[in-house]
Short mmCIF file of all heavy atoms in Angstrom, two decimals:
data_model
loop_
_atom_site.label_atom_id
_atom_site.label_comp_id
_atom_site.label_asym_id
_atom_site.label_seq_id
_atom_site.Cartn_x
_atom_site.Cartn_y
_atom_site.Cartn_z
N GLU A 58 31.83 54.65 -36.91
CA GLU A 58 31.87 55.69 -35.89
C GLU A 58 30.47 56.23 -35.62
O GLU A 58 30.12 56.52 -34.49
CB GLU A 58 32.82 56.81 -36.32
CG GLU A 58 34.27 56.34 -36.36
CD GLU A 58 35.20 57.42 -36.85
OE1 GLU A 58 34.77 58.58 -37.00
OE2 GLU A 58 36.37 57.10 -37.08
N THR A 59 29.67 56.36 -36.67
CA THR A 59 28.28 56.80 -36.54
C THR A 59 27.42 55.92 -37.43
O THR A 59 27.94 55.19 -38.27
CB THR A 59 28.10 58.28 -36.96
OG1 THR A 59 28.39 58.38 -38.36
CG2 THR A 59 28.98 59.20 -36.16
N SER A 60 26.11 55.99 -37.26
CA SER A 60 25.23 55.13 -38.05
C SER A 60 25.31 55.43 -39.55
O SER A 60 25.06 54.55 -40.35
CB SER A 60 23.79 55.26 -37.57
OG SER A 60 23.34 56.58 -37.75
N GLY A 61 25.68 56.64 -39.92
CA GLY A 61 25.77 56.99 -41.34
C GLY A 61 27.16 56.84 -41.93
O GLY A 61 27.33 57.05 -43.13
N SER A 62 28.13 56.48 -41.14
CA SER A 62 29.50 56.39 -41.66
C SER A 62 29.73 55.08 -42.41
O SER A 62 28.94 54.14 -42.32
CB SER A 62 30.51 56.55 -40.53
OG SER A 62 30.40 55.48 -39.61
N GLN A 63 30.83 55.04 -43.12
CA GLN A 63 31.15 53.87 -43.94
C GLN A 63 31.49 52.65 -43.09
O GLN A 63 32.03 52.77 -41.99
CB GLN A 63 32.34 54.18 -44.85
CG GLN A 63 32.04 55.19 -45.91
CD GLN A 63 33.22 55.37 -46.84
OE1 GLN A 63 34.35 54.99 -46.53
NE2 GLN A 63 32.97 55.96 -47.99
N ARG A 64 31.18 51.48 -43.65
CA ARG A 64 31.54 50.23 -43.00
C ARG A 64 33.05 50.06 -43.08
O ARG A 64 33.66 50.29 -44.11
CB ARG A 64 30.89 49.05 -43.71
CG ARG A 64 29.40 48.99 -43.53
CD ARG A 64 28.84 47.89 -44.44
NE ARG A 64 27.46 47.60 -44.10
CZ ARG A 64 26.43 48.24 -44.58
NH1 ARG A 64 26.60 49.24 -45.42
NH2 ARG A 64 25.20 47.90 -44.23
N ARG A 65 33.63 49.61 -41.98
CA ARG A 65 35.06 49.30 -41.93
C ARG A 65 35.20 47.94 -41.25
O ARG A 65 34.52 47.66 -40.28
CB ARG A 65 35.83 50.39 -41.21
CG ARG A 65 35.77 51.71 -41.98
CD ARG A 65 36.36 52.87 -41.23
NE ARG A 65 37.66 52.60 -40.72
CZ ARG A 65 38.81 53.08 -41.23
NH1 ARG A 65 38.76 53.88 -42.26
NH2 ARG A 65 39.97 52.79 -40.69
N TYR A 66 36.07 47.13 -41.81
CA TYR A 66 36.19 45.75 -41.35
C TYR A 66 37.58 45.44 -40.79
O TYR A 66 38.58 45.98 -41.25
CB TYR A 66 35.90 44.79 -42.51
CG TYR A 66 34.50 44.93 -43.07
CD1 TYR A 66 34.26 45.70 -44.21
CD2 TYR A 66 33.43 44.32 -42.44
CE1 TYR A 66 32.97 45.83 -44.72
CE2 TYR A 66 32.14 44.45 -42.95
CZ TYR A 66 31.93 45.20 -44.08
OH TYR A 66 30.66 45.33 -44.58
N SER A 67 37.60 44.52 -39.85
CA SER A 67 38.85 44.10 -39.20
C SER A 67 39.41 42.85 -39.88
O SER A 67 38.75 42.20 -40.69
CB SER A 67 38.59 43.79 -37.72
OG SER A 67 37.76 42.64 -37.62
N LYS A 68 40.61 42.48 -39.48
CA LYS A 68 41.24 41.27 -39.98
C LYS A 68 40.44 40.04 -39.56
O LYS A 68 40.31 39.09 -40.32
CB LYS A 68 42.67 41.19 -39.47
CG LYS A 68 43.47 40.05 -40.05
CD LYS A 68 44.92 40.11 -39.59
CE LYS A 68 45.75 39.04 -40.25
NZ LYS A 68 47.16 39.14 -39.85
N ALA A 69 39.88 40.05 -38.36
CA ALA A 69 39.06 38.92 -37.90
C ALA A 69 37.85 38.74 -38.80
O ALA A 69 37.47 37.61 -39.14
CB ALA A 69 38.63 39.13 -36.45
N THR A 70 37.25 39.84 -39.23
CA THR A 70 36.11 39.77 -40.14
C THR A 70 36.53 39.23 -41.49
O THR A 70 35.81 38.44 -42.11
CB THR A 70 35.43 41.14 -40.28
OG1 THR A 70 34.99 41.56 -38.98
CG2 THR A 70 34.24 41.10 -41.22
N PHE A 71 37.71 39.62 -41.94
CA PHE A 71 38.26 39.08 -43.19
C PHE A 71 38.28 37.55 -43.14
O PHE A 71 37.83 36.87 -44.06
CB PHE A 71 39.67 39.64 -43.41
CG PHE A 71 40.45 38.92 -44.46
CD1 PHE A 71 40.28 39.23 -45.80
CD2 PHE A 71 41.36 37.94 -44.12
CE1 PHE A 71 41.00 38.57 -46.77
CE2 PHE A 71 42.08 37.27 -45.08
CZ PHE A 71 41.91 37.59 -46.42
N HIS A 72 38.80 37.00 -42.04
CA HIS A 72 38.89 35.54 -41.92
C HIS A 72 37.50 34.90 -41.87
O HIS A 72 37.31 33.80 -42.41
CB HIS A 72 39.72 35.15 -40.71
CG HIS A 72 41.18 35.42 -40.90
ND1 HIS A 72 41.96 34.70 -41.77
CD2 HIS A 72 41.99 36.35 -40.36
CE1 HIS A 72 43.20 35.16 -41.76
NE2 HIS A 72 43.24 36.17 -40.91
N ARG A 73 36.55 35.56 -41.26
CA ARG A 73 35.17 35.03 -41.25
C ARG A 73 34.60 35.00 -42.67
O ARG A 73 33.91 34.06 -43.05
CB ARG A 73 34.27 35.86 -40.33
CG ARG A 73 34.59 35.65 -38.85
CD ARG A 73 33.72 36.53 -37.95
NE ARG A 73 32.34 36.12 -37.92
CZ ARG A 73 31.83 35.24 -37.05
NH1 ARG A 73 32.60 34.68 -36.15
NH2 ARG A 73 30.54 34.94 -37.09
N ILE A 74 34.89 36.02 -43.46
CA ILE A 74 34.40 36.07 -44.83
C ILE A 74 35.02 34.94 -45.65
O ILE A 74 34.33 34.28 -46.44
CB ILE A 74 34.67 37.45 -45.47
CG1 ILE A 74 33.86 38.52 -44.75
CG2 ILE A 74 34.38 37.44 -46.97
CD1 ILE A 74 34.29 39.95 -45.06
N ILE A 75 36.30 34.70 -45.46
CA ILE A 75 36.96 33.59 -46.16
C ILE A 75 36.31 32.27 -45.76
O ILE A 75 36.03 31.42 -46.61
CB ILE A 75 38.48 33.57 -45.85
CG1 ILE A 75 39.15 34.84 -46.38
CG2 ILE A 75 39.13 32.31 -46.42
CD1 ILE A 75 39.03 35.05 -47.88
N TYR A 76 36.02 32.10 -44.47
CA TYR A 76 35.35 30.89 -44.01
C TYR A 76 33.99 30.74 -44.68
O TYR A 76 33.65 29.66 -45.18
CB TYR A 76 35.18 30.94 -42.48
CG TYR A 76 34.60 29.66 -41.92
CD1 TYR A 76 35.42 28.66 -41.44
CD2 TYR A 76 33.22 29.46 -41.88
CE1 TYR A 76 34.89 27.48 -40.94
CE2 TYR A 76 32.68 28.28 -41.39
CZ TYR A 76 33.52 27.30 -40.92
OH TYR A 76 32.99 26.13 -40.45
N ILE A 77 33.22 31.82 -44.73
CA ILE A 77 31.90 31.78 -45.36
C ILE A 77 32.02 31.38 -46.83
O ILE A 77 31.27 30.52 -47.32
CB ILE A 77 31.19 33.15 -45.23
CG1 ILE A 77 30.86 33.44 -43.76
CG2 ILE A 77 29.94 33.22 -46.10
CD1 ILE A 77 30.48 34.89 -43.47
N THR A 78 32.97 31.97 -47.53
CA THR A 78 33.16 31.69 -48.95
C THR A 78 33.49 30.21 -49.18
O THR A 78 32.89 29.56 -50.03
CB THR A 78 34.29 32.57 -49.52
OG1 THR A 78 33.94 33.94 -49.34
CG2 THR A 78 34.52 32.30 -50.99
N LEU A 79 34.43 29.70 -48.40
CA LEU A 79 34.83 28.30 -48.58
C LEU A 79 33.71 27.35 -48.16
O LEU A 79 33.49 26.32 -48.80
CB LEU A 79 36.11 28.02 -47.80
CG LEU A 79 37.34 28.77 -48.31
CD1 LEU A 79 38.54 28.52 -47.41
CD2 LEU A 79 37.66 28.38 -49.74
N ALA A 80 32.99 27.68 -47.11
CA ALA A 80 31.89 26.83 -46.66
C ALA A 80 30.77 26.79 -47.72
O ALA A 80 30.19 25.73 -47.97
CB ALA A 80 31.34 27.32 -45.33
N GLN A 81 30.50 27.92 -48.35
CA GLN A 81 29.49 27.94 -49.42
C GLN A 81 29.94 27.06 -50.58
O GLN A 81 29.14 26.31 -51.14
CB GLN A 81 29.24 29.36 -49.92
CG GLN A 81 28.40 30.19 -48.97
CD GLN A 81 28.17 31.58 -49.50
OE1 GLN A 81 29.10 32.28 -49.89
NE2 GLN A 81 26.92 32.00 -49.52
N ARG A 82 31.20 27.12 -50.92
CA ARG A 82 31.73 26.29 -52.01
C ARG A 82 31.67 24.81 -51.65
O ARG A 82 31.61 23.96 -52.53
CB ARG A 82 33.14 26.71 -52.38
CG ARG A 82 33.17 28.06 -53.02
CD ARG A 82 34.45 28.30 -53.76
NE ARG A 82 34.32 29.50 -54.54
CZ ARG A 82 33.91 29.54 -55.79
NH1 ARG A 82 33.56 28.45 -56.40
NH2 ARG A 82 33.82 30.68 -56.43
N ALA A 83 31.72 24.51 -50.35
CA ALA A 83 31.62 23.12 -49.89
C ALA A 83 30.18 22.64 -49.86
O ALA A 83 29.92 21.48 -49.56
CB ALA A 83 32.26 22.98 -48.51
N GLY A 84 29.23 23.53 -50.11
CA GLY A 84 27.83 23.13 -50.21
C GLY A 84 26.96 23.50 -49.02
O GLY A 84 25.80 23.08 -48.95
N PHE A 85 27.48 24.27 -48.09
CA PHE A 85 26.69 24.68 -46.93
C PHE A 85 25.88 25.93 -47.26
O PHE A 85 26.34 26.80 -47.98
CB PHE A 85 27.59 24.98 -45.72
CG PHE A 85 28.27 23.76 -45.19
CD1 PHE A 85 29.55 23.43 -45.59
CD2 PHE A 85 27.63 22.93 -44.27
CE1 PHE A 85 30.18 22.30 -45.10
CE2 PHE A 85 28.25 21.80 -43.78
CZ PHE A 85 29.53 21.48 -44.19
N ASN A 86 24.67 26.01 -46.70
CA ASN A 86 23.88 27.23 -46.88
C ASN A 86 24.22 28.21 -45.75
O ASN A 86 24.92 27.85 -44.80
CB ASN A 86 22.37 26.92 -46.94
CG ASN A 86 21.83 26.33 -45.66
OD1 ASN A 86 22.18 26.76 -44.56
ND2 ASN A 86 20.96 25.35 -45.79
N LEU A 87 23.74 29.44 -45.86
CA LEU A 87 24.12 30.47 -44.88
C LEU A 87 23.62 30.16 -43.48
O LEU A 87 24.28 30.51 -42.50
CB LEU A 87 23.63 31.84 -45.35
CG LEU A 87 24.34 32.40 -46.58
CD1 LEU A 87 23.73 33.73 -47.00
CD2 LEU A 87 25.83 32.55 -46.33
N GLU A 88 22.50 29.48 -43.35
CA GLU A 88 22.01 29.10 -42.02
C GLU A 88 22.96 28.11 -41.35
O GLU A 88 23.30 28.25 -40.18
CB GLU A 88 20.61 28.49 -42.14
CG GLU A 88 19.97 28.17 -40.81
CD GLU A 88 18.55 27.65 -40.97
OE1 GLU A 88 17.79 28.23 -41.77
OE2 GLU A 88 18.22 26.67 -40.30
N GLU A 89 23.43 27.13 -42.11
CA GLU A 89 24.39 26.16 -41.59
C GLU A 89 25.72 26.84 -41.24
O GLU A 89 26.33 26.54 -40.22
CB GLU A 89 24.62 25.04 -42.60
CG GLU A 89 23.42 24.17 -42.84
CD GLU A 89 23.56 23.26 -44.04
OE1 GLU A 89 24.17 23.67 -45.05
OE2 GLU A 89 23.07 22.12 -43.96
N ILE A 90 26.13 27.77 -42.08
CA ILE A 90 27.38 28.50 -41.84
C ILE A 90 27.26 29.33 -40.57
O ILE A 90 28.20 29.38 -39.77
CB ILE A 90 27.75 29.36 -43.06
CG1 ILE A 90 28.06 28.46 -44.26
CG2 ILE A 90 28.92 30.28 -42.75
CD1 ILE A 90 28.18 29.19 -45.58
N ALA A 91 26.10 29.95 -40.35
CA ALA A 91 25.89 30.73 -39.12
C ALA A 91 26.03 29.84 -37.89
O ALA A 91 26.64 30.25 -36.89
CB ALA A 91 24.51 31.39 -39.15
N GLU A 92 25.51 28.63 -37.95
CA GLU A 92 25.63 27.69 -36.84
C GLU A 92 27.10 27.33 -36.60
O GLU A 92 27.55 27.24 -35.46
CB GLU A 92 24.82 26.42 -37.11
CG GLU A 92 23.32 26.64 -37.10
CD GLU A 92 22.54 25.43 -37.60
OE1 GLU A 92 23.14 24.36 -37.86
OE2 GLU A 92 21.31 25.56 -37.73
N GLN A 93 27.84 27.12 -37.69
CA GLN A 93 29.27 26.78 -37.57
C GLN A 93 30.05 27.95 -36.97
O GLN A 93 30.89 27.76 -36.09
CB GLN A 93 29.84 26.42 -38.94
CG GLN A 93 29.27 25.15 -39.52
CD GLN A 93 29.60 25.00 -41.00
OE1 GLN A 93 30.33 25.79 -41.58
NE2 GLN A 93 29.04 23.96 -41.60
N LEU A 94 29.77 29.15 -37.45
CA LEU A 94 30.48 30.32 -36.95
C LEU A 94 30.21 30.55 -35.47
O LEU A 94 31.08 31.03 -34.74
CB LEU A 94 30.10 31.57 -37.76
CG LEU A 94 30.66 31.64 -39.17
CD1 LEU A 94 30.03 32.80 -39.93
CD2 LEU A 94 32.17 31.77 -39.16
N ALA A 95 29.02 30.18 -35.02
CA ALA A 95 28.65 30.38 -33.61
C ALA A 95 29.49 29.50 -32.68
O ALA A 95 29.72 29.87 -31.53
CB ALA A 95 27.17 30.09 -33.41
N VAL A 96 29.96 28.37 -33.16
CA VAL A 96 30.72 27.46 -32.29
C VAL A 96 32.22 27.47 -32.56
O VAL A 96 32.98 26.84 -31.84
CB VAL A 96 30.19 26.01 -32.38
CG1 VAL A 96 28.75 25.94 -31.91
CG2 VAL A 96 30.32 25.45 -33.79
N LEU A 97 32.64 28.18 -33.60
CA LEU A 97 34.07 28.24 -33.91
C LEU A 97 34.82 29.06 -32.85
O LEU A 97 34.29 30.04 -32.34
CB LEU A 97 34.31 28.89 -35.27
CG LEU A 97 34.05 28.02 -36.48
CD1 LEU A 97 34.28 28.82 -37.76
CD2 LEU A 97 34.93 26.79 -36.48
N PRO A 98 36.05 28.66 -32.58
CA PRO A 98 36.84 29.48 -31.66
C PRO A 98 37.12 30.84 -32.29
O PRO A 98 37.17 30.97 -33.52
CB PRO A 98 38.13 28.68 -31.49
CG PRO A 98 38.20 27.79 -32.69
CD PRO A 98 36.78 27.54 -33.11
N ASP A 99 37.26 31.85 -31.46
CA ASP A 99 37.49 33.20 -31.96
C ASP A 99 38.98 33.43 -32.18
O ASP A 99 39.57 34.34 -31.63
CB ASP A 99 36.91 34.24 -30.98
CG ASP A 99 36.82 35.61 -31.62
OD1 ASP A 99 36.76 35.69 -32.86
OD2 ASP A 99 36.83 36.60 -30.88
N ILE A 100 39.57 32.56 -32.99
CA ILE A 100 40.98 32.71 -33.37
C ILE A 100 41.06 32.73 -34.88
O ILE A 100 40.30 32.06 -35.57
CB ILE A 100 41.86 31.58 -32.78
CG1 ILE A 100 41.28 30.20 -33.13
CG2 ILE A 100 42.03 31.73 -31.29
CD1 ILE A 100 42.13 29.05 -32.67
N HIS A 101 41.96 33.53 -35.38
CA HIS A 101 42.06 33.70 -36.82
C HIS A 101 43.50 33.69 -37.24
O HIS A 101 44.32 34.32 -36.59
CB HIS A 101 41.41 35.02 -37.23
CG HIS A 101 39.99 35.10 -36.79
ND1 HIS A 101 38.98 34.41 -37.41
CD2 HIS A 101 39.41 35.74 -35.76
CE1 HIS A 101 37.85 34.65 -36.79
NE2 HIS A 101 38.08 35.46 -35.79
N PRO A 102 43.83 33.01 -38.33
CA PRO A 102 42.94 32.17 -39.10
C PRO A 102 42.54 30.92 -38.33
O PRO A 102 43.21 30.53 -37.38
CB PRO A 102 43.74 31.82 -40.35
CG PRO A 102 45.16 31.99 -39.97
CD PRO A 102 45.18 33.03 -38.88
N VAL A 103 41.46 30.30 -38.77
CA VAL A 103 40.94 29.11 -38.10
C VAL A 103 41.94 27.97 -38.33
O VAL A 103 42.39 27.75 -39.45
CB VAL A 103 39.55 28.74 -38.67
CG1 VAL A 103 39.04 27.46 -38.06
CG2 VAL A 103 38.58 29.88 -38.43
N PRO A 104 42.32 27.24 -37.25
CA PRO A 104 43.30 26.17 -37.39
C PRO A 104 42.78 25.01 -38.25
O PRO A 104 41.58 24.78 -38.32
CB PRO A 104 43.54 25.71 -35.95
CG PRO A 104 42.59 26.43 -35.10
CD PRO A 104 41.87 27.44 -35.90
N PRO A 105 43.70 24.27 -38.86
CA PRO A 105 43.30 23.16 -39.74
C PRO A 105 42.39 22.13 -39.07
O PRO A 105 41.49 21.61 -39.72
CB PRO A 105 44.63 22.51 -40.13
CG PRO A 105 45.63 23.61 -40.00
CD PRO A 105 45.14 24.47 -38.87
N LYS A 106 42.58 21.85 -37.79
CA LYS A 106 41.73 20.84 -37.14
C LYS A 106 40.27 21.26 -37.12
O LYS A 106 39.38 20.43 -37.10
CB LYS A 106 42.22 20.52 -35.74
CG LYS A 106 42.04 21.64 -34.74
CD LYS A 106 42.53 21.25 -33.37
CE LYS A 106 42.28 22.37 -32.39
NZ LYS A 106 42.70 22.03 -31.05
N VAL A 107 40.01 22.56 -37.17
CA VAL A 107 38.63 23.04 -37.22
C VAL A 107 38.06 22.88 -38.63
O VAL A 107 36.88 22.65 -38.82
CB VAL A 107 38.55 24.51 -36.76
CG1 VAL A 107 37.15 25.07 -36.90
CG2 VAL A 107 39.03 24.63 -35.32
N TRP A 108 38.94 22.96 -39.64
CA TRP A 108 38.50 22.84 -41.02
C TRP A 108 38.19 21.41 -41.42
O TRP A 108 37.43 21.17 -42.35
CB TRP A 108 39.58 23.37 -41.98
CG TRP A 108 39.65 24.84 -42.02
CD1 TRP A 108 40.56 25.62 -41.37
CD2 TRP A 108 38.81 25.74 -42.74
NE1 TRP A 108 40.32 26.94 -41.64
CE2 TRP A 108 39.26 27.05 -42.48
CE3 TRP A 108 37.72 25.56 -43.57
CZ2 TRP A 108 38.65 28.16 -43.04
CZ3 TRP A 108 37.13 26.67 -44.13
CH2 TRP A 108 37.60 27.95 -43.85
N GLU A 109 38.78 20.42 -40.74
CA GLU A 109 38.62 19.02 -41.15
C GLU A 109 37.16 18.59 -41.27
O GLU A 109 36.78 18.01 -42.30
CB GLU A 109 39.39 18.10 -40.21
CG GLU A 109 40.88 18.22 -40.38
CD GLU A 109 41.67 17.42 -39.37
OE1 GLU A 109 41.08 16.61 -38.63
OE2 GLU A 109 42.89 17.62 -39.32
N PRO A 110 36.29 18.85 -40.27
CA PRO A 110 34.89 18.45 -40.45
C PRO A 110 34.22 19.14 -41.64
O PRO A 110 33.43 18.53 -42.34
CB PRO A 110 34.22 18.87 -39.13
CG PRO A 110 35.34 18.99 -38.16
CD PRO A 110 36.54 19.40 -38.96
N LEU A 111 34.58 20.38 -41.88
CA LEU A 111 34.02 21.11 -43.01
C LEU A 111 34.45 20.45 -44.32
O LEU A 111 33.65 20.24 -45.22
CB LEU A 111 34.47 22.57 -42.98
CG LEU A 111 34.02 23.45 -44.14
CD1 LEU A 111 32.50 23.55 -44.16
CD2 LEU A 111 34.64 24.82 -44.03
N ALA A 112 35.73 20.09 -44.41
CA ALA A 112 36.23 19.45 -45.62
C ALA A 112 35.54 18.12 -45.85
O ALA A 112 35.15 17.79 -46.97
CB ALA A 112 37.74 19.26 -45.52
N LYS A 113 35.36 17.32 -44.79
CA LYS A 113 34.68 16.03 -44.93
C LYS A 113 33.25 16.22 -45.38
O LYS A 113 32.77 15.53 -46.26
CB LYS A 113 34.72 15.27 -43.60
CG LYS A 113 36.09 14.76 -43.26
CD LYS A 113 36.10 14.07 -41.91
CE LYS A 113 37.52 13.70 -41.53
NZ LYS A 113 37.60 13.18 -40.18
N ASN A 114 32.54 17.17 -44.79
CA ASN A 114 31.16 17.44 -45.18
C ASN A 114 31.09 17.96 -46.60
O ASN A 114 30.17 17.65 -47.34
CB ASN A 114 30.50 18.45 -44.23
CG ASN A 114 30.18 17.83 -42.90
OD1 ASN A 114 30.02 16.62 -42.78
ND2 ASN A 114 30.07 18.65 -41.88
N GLY A 115 32.07 18.75 -47.02
CA GLY A 115 32.10 19.26 -48.39
C GLY A 115 32.28 18.15 -49.39
O GLY A 115 31.62 18.12 -50.43
#
Side-chain angles (χ1 to χ4, degrees):
E58 293 177 9
T59 65
S60 62
S62 64
Q63 292 184 343
R64 290 172 168 87
R65 295 173 51 105
Y66 299 98
S67 67
K68 186 175 184 177
T70 300
F71 166 82
H72 288 290
R73 289 178 71 90
I74 294 166
I75 296 301
Y76 185 94
I77 293 166
T78 301
L79 294 175
Q81 285 180 309
R82 291 198 170 269
F85 292 95
N86 64 41
L87 291 177
E88 184 176 316
E89 293 168 324
I90 295 169
E92 292 170 6
Q93 294 166 5
L94 287 171
V96 298
L97 283 178
D99 194 24
I100 52 176
H101 303 285
V103 177
K106 69 179 182 178
V107 176
W108 284 100
E109 289 174 11
L111 177 63
K113 289 177 186 173
N114 286 336

